[in-house]
Amino acid sequence: MALTHVYIKDLRMHAYHGVLEQERSVGNDYVVNVSVGYPWEEAMLTDNVSDTLNYAALADLITEEMSVPSALLENVAGRIVKRIQREFPKTESIRLDIRKSAPPMSQDTDGCGVVIEV
């Protein structure tokens, strides 16, 4: 079975994750990138969105999980990965990158975050 990846690049949102109280009250801007390995042959033949992983549904799933505050991005990422696997059972692989745009640190950076590959 051939595998392709359905992906979302630079999904932007504001959320309330962090160890510091200010992060949980003021929030921060986040950028999420995800690539999900998914079989594509059936969708290629049928031209039907129900035969593939709908990236709009994937974006909604990520947005819902990002709206639940957590101290650690690892916790958020773990929830997202588990939910993708549960809601899209044909999933073969996942690469999820969550970046906090302005982390609370004194160094200048374009962001910090976590990457999980399963």
Side-chain angles (χ1 to χ4, degrees):
M1 179 179 299
L3 185 66
T4 190
H5 289 83
V6 174
Y7 72 92
I8 299 173
K9 182 177 179 183
D10 296 339
L11 179 63
R12 294 173 186 84
M13 64 196 70
H14 194 82
Y16 300 87
H17 309 300
V19 174
L20 303 176
E21 180 60 36
Q22 182 176 351
E23 292 179 283
R24 290 188 304 275
S25 62
V26 175
N28 207 317
D29 292 328
Y30 291 84
V31 178
V32 178
N33 289 285
V34 65
S35 178
V36 180
Y38 210 77
W40 64 279
E41 283 114 341
E42 195 169 346
M44 177 189 69
L45 295 172
T46 66
D47 197 28
N48 189 330
V49 71
S50 66
D51 292 327
T52 189
L53 193 160
N54 182 326
Y55 52 77
L58 181 61
D60 288 343
L61 177 156
I62 292 167
T63 301
E64 288 172 17
E65 291 300 332
M66 287 292 290
S67 72
V68 178
S70 293
L72 300 177
L73 290 180
E74 290 86 348
N75 181 267
V76 181
R79 287 197 324 263
I80 292 170
V81 165
K82 287 178 184 176
R83 190 157 165 211
I84 291 170
Q85 291 170 326
R86 185 174 61 248
E87 293 194 20
F88 304 104
K90 293 181 183 177
T91 295
E92 295 282 333
S93 64
I94 302 169
R95 184 179 192 284
L96 176 66
D97 177 339
I98 304 175
R99 184 177 78 228
K100 186 179 293 189
S101 296
M105 49 194 270
S106 59
Q107 293 80 7
D108 183 27
T109 179
D110 284 334
C112 295
V114 298
V115 175
I116 294 180
E117 296 184 54
V118 294

